[in-house]
Amino acid sequence: FDIIGNMVIARPMAQKDKDVAHWAYSWDGRNRNGRLVGTGVYSGIIRVFYGSELALTKRIRIGVKR
């Protein structure tokens, strides 16, 4: 999300190792239209589900400098 709450992008994470609960996500700094986002602070929300039940929510901040 950008500073005023607009969603920039939403994507599922891929499991990195099938034998271990290890997940990774790499953001290329582009919005959902494929354009590079500007310099600023963005908020990320990570939601972990166990089956269909929400198990964990984590908020993070992401700084972008161009």
Side-chain angles (χ1 to χ4, degrees):
F1 296 89
D2 64 15
I3 195 80
I4 59 173
N6 296 313
M7 187 177 0
V8 175
I9 196 165
R11 298 269 164 90
M13 283 194 251
Q15 191 168 359
K16 201 170 187 181
D17 185 345
K18 292 186 181 195
D19 296 329
V20 180
H22 186 142
W23 300 79
Y25 182 80
S26 179
W27 179 44
D28 63 1
R30 296 181 184 276
N31 65 18
R32 60 180 165 234
N33 297 319
R35 295 184 181 157
L36 288 172
V37 300
T39 296
V41 177
Y42 295 83
S43 296
I45 301 173
I46 300 169
R47 293 187 180 119
V48 178
F49 289 85
Y50 187 74
S52 61
E53 190 173 321
L54 181 62
L56 173 75
T57 299
K58 176 80 175 175
R59 295 182 183 271
I60 61 171
R61 292 191 177 254
I62 305 159
V64 175
K65 182 178 178 184
R66 301 265 181 227

